[in-house]
Amino acid sequence: MAIQQILHTANFSKENITQLLSVSGNDERALFGYASRIKQQHVGNTVYLRGLIEFSNICEKNCYYCGIRHDNNDTHRYCLTDNEVLDAVRFAHENGFGSVAIQSGELSSDAFTRKIDFILKEAMRITNGEIGITLSCGEQSEEVYRRWFESGAQRYLLRIESSSEELYYKIHPKDEVHSFAKRLKALESLKKTGYQTGTGVMIGLPFQTAEHLANDLLFMKQFDIDMCGMGPYIEHAQTPLYANKSRLLPLAKRFNLSLKMVALLRILMPDINIAATTALQTFEKNGRERAIQIGANVLMPNITPKHYRDDYFLYENKPVSQQSNEDDLKFLEEQLKNIGHEIGYFGQGNSKHYRKNRS
Ligand code: SAH
Ligand code: SF4
């Protein structure tokens, strides 16, 4: 079927999506142009900010792709103090970010649960309940999710990483701790608890096919997510998956595929929040802006205290290090202005999809 014809089909089939993931030239421009128009119609040209706080790189898990996995002894481990997190929250609040995202390695201890809980309550207190908080602290029990929700977190990001169980176990150990069924259940719990629920996948993983990616998009649609964060897989030398480096697509291709995934998701789910993720910058300095032009509407500037940033090393060439000023607000504002977008200062930028579904 011709591309224009497919684009106007309200419900893409898996075959349609697979075909669209491989387009180039004029067809690619048509895909991006169409996604960009859908975005304008449904979420406009406002970009919402989530100040990203990389809370801790201490993790119990051993995901094969991740640089801060438990067994990587080359990582210097850290955990921000309560005051450091709250200072970052205050900074975000005062500078009109509207929201913060607290991301961390996964821990299931009571001490961790309590620490996050305390931070949430304090963050609410010092901002008069005005700051929006997204958590991304991995799989937790329903009880913990509920406790954090009641203390002030409204959104939670837990990537499915891959919706194919087979591929999931190629990038995770096959054991109780890394169970695919448990990950799905955790996503269900988040939704049930009332969170704006976000998920996402890595794009360009070894062994991943276009069909896997098409199924990932259909999974997100069927799960009826409120938000999404996805980006290219970037190899890290101190991880088991690095052994498959020779199977990887060149970074330029992974980047291009990621843009197509964002564009297609925007067409499939016009009113959700889609983040232009940090990993998109690994290939191109303005990678995130490219994603915003064709579908994303959320940016997550890093506001972690600078001296910790180089320890939160999920993948190689992670762009925002101590010297970088790419997340400086004025700089971002300029970049966005150049592509006809503006920052939604002081707005929480909640998912329109969530509001429509649950109000
Ligand atoms: N521990 C939490 C949150 C921190 S990790 C969790 O796992 O959910 C956040 C995300 O970083 C993961 O979901 C994964 O998709 C991404 N990530 C980890 N290693 C990566 C890599 N090598 N390349 C690209 N993204 C990676
Ligand atoms: Fe830990 Fe998350 Fe990295 Fe897995 S992806 S090792 S859970 S930080």
Side-chain angles (χ1 to χ4, degrees):
M1 213 190 297
I3 294 303
Q4 287 293 352
Q5 218 178 328
I6 299 179
L7 286 174
H8 290 86
T9 318
N11 274 322
F12 291 157
S13 66
K14 185 168 80 181
E15 289 69 32
N16 292 154
I17 300 176
T18 313
Q19 188 181 345
L20 287 164
L21 282 170
S22 70
V23 293
S24 58
N26 282 340
D27 287 346
E28 183 180 295
R29 276 188 284 282
L31 164 64
F32 288 161
Y34 186 72
S36 155
R37 285 194 294 283
I38 295 273
K39 180 191 128 149
Q40 287 296 329
Q41 277 165 24
H42 292 266
V43 295
N45 65 349
T46 305
V47 175
Y48 290 99
L49 302 178
R50 319 300 181 213
L52 177 62
I53 304 172
E54 293 166 335
F55 172 61
S56 166
N57 67 355
I58 305 172
C59 188
E60 286 168 355
K61 282 192 153 174
N62 261 317
C63 307
Y64 290 152
Y65 43 83
C66 178
I68 63 170
R69 63 199 299 273
H70 179 269
D71 289 357
N72 181 8
N73 294 323
D74 281 348
T75 299
H76 169 253
R77 305 285 167 173
Y78 75 87
C79 180
L80 264 57
T81 64
D82 297 344
N83 279 338
E84 284 170 329
V85 181
L86 294 169
D87 282 348
V89 169
R90 212 173 276 115
F91 168 85
H93 185 237
E94 283 166 5
N95 286 279
F97 278 62
S99 296
V100 293
I102 300 176
Q103 198 181 75
S104 167
E106 190 177 308
L107 287 177
S108 54
S109 67
D110 280 350
F112 183 74
T113 305
R114 269 186 272 117
K115 197 168 160 78
I116 296 285
D117 198 55
F118 176 77
I119 287 167
L120 290 169
K121 287 183 175 139
E122 281 298 291
M124 285 293 120
R125 191 181 63 79
I126 63 175
T127 65
N128 304 315
E130 284 167 8
I131 200 82
I133 305 184
T134 307
L135 286 180
S136 182
C137 301
E139 286 166 45
Q140 303 288 341
S141 68
E142 198 163 309
E143 190 190 330
V144 170
Y145 283 152
R146 195 171 320 115
R147 180 163 166 191
W148 288 346
F149 184 73
E150 283 163 5
S151 297
Q154 308 103 316
R155 320 182 179 116
Y156 206 104
L157 187 63
L158 182 72
R159 291 187 178 178
I160 188 71
E161 314 295 359
S162 168
S163 64
S164 150
E165 185 165 357
E166 196 194 337
L167 182 55
Y168 192 87
Y169 284 124
K170 287 199 165 124
I171 61 170
H172 298 96
K174 195 164 189 176
D175 59 25
E176 255 309 286
V177 186
H178 301 83
S179 146
F180 181 70
K182 265 173 65 187
R183 193 130 191 121
L184 280 176
K185 193 167 161 275
L187 275 171
E188 292 286 356
S189 302
L190 288 167
K191 216 166 154 188
K192 190 169 138 202
T193 308
Y195 283 98
Q196 291 172 53
T197 305
T199 195
V201 294
M202 281 175 289
I203 298 153
L205 285 162
F207 315 108
Q208 190 180 45
T209 63
E211 198 178 332
H212 283 131
L213 291 171
N215 281 330
D216 289 338
L217 290 173
L218 292 172
F219 168 83
M220 295 187 223
K221 170 103 179 151
Q222 198 213 341
F223 193 83
D224 200 26
I225 58 169
D226 303 300
M227 9 183 256
C228 177
M230 60 183 168
Y233 161 69
I234 317 283
E235 64 275 25
H236 185 299
Q238 265 99 43
T239 61
L241 215 56
Y242 196 74
N244 299 289
K245 193 176 178 345
S246 62
R247 290 173 184 271
L248 296 176
L249 291 170
L251 197 51
K253 286 238 163 75
R254 279 178 264 163
F255 175 77
N256 178 267
L257 255 186
S258 302
L259 288 183
K260 285 179 185 153
M261 287 288 283
V262 168
L264 286 165
L265 183 63
R266 176 56 72 199
I267 300 170
L268 280 165
M269 304 192 76
D271 59 358
I272 64 168
N273 278 344
I274 304 180
T277 56
T278 314
L280 284 164
Q281 266 174 297
T282 320
F283 172 67
E284 243 185 53
K285 243 181 154 46
N286 68 345
R288 294 181 307 181
E289 288 75 10
R290 295 266 313 272
I292 282 170
Q293 278 177 299
I294 53 95
N297 67 327
V298 166
L299 261 186
M300 300 169 74
N302 199 335
I303 58 165
T304 311
K306 285 203 165 76
H307 57 285
Y308 291 113
R309 290 191 192 174
D310 285 347
D311 287 325
Y312 199 81
F313 200 49
L314 300 175
Y315 46 81
E316 292 182 352
N317 302 321
K318 188 162 167 270
V320 183
S321 73
Q322 294 187 42
Q323 287 79 28
S324 162
N325 65 351
E326 273 151 38
D327 279 3
D328 191 85
L329 271 189
K330 282 281 156 278
F331 178 82
L332 280 177
E333 210 173 280
E334 257 326 285
Q335 297 280 98
L336 290 173
K337 211 166 103 193
N338 291 339
I339 55 166
H341 283 68
E342 57 177 28
I343 294 179
Y345 283 114
F346 296 100
Q348 283 196 356
N350 287 310
S351 167
K352 281 189 170 177
H353 188 74
Y354 177 88
R355 272 184 291 178
K356 202 158 70 191
N357 274 0
R358 325 231 175 145
S359 55

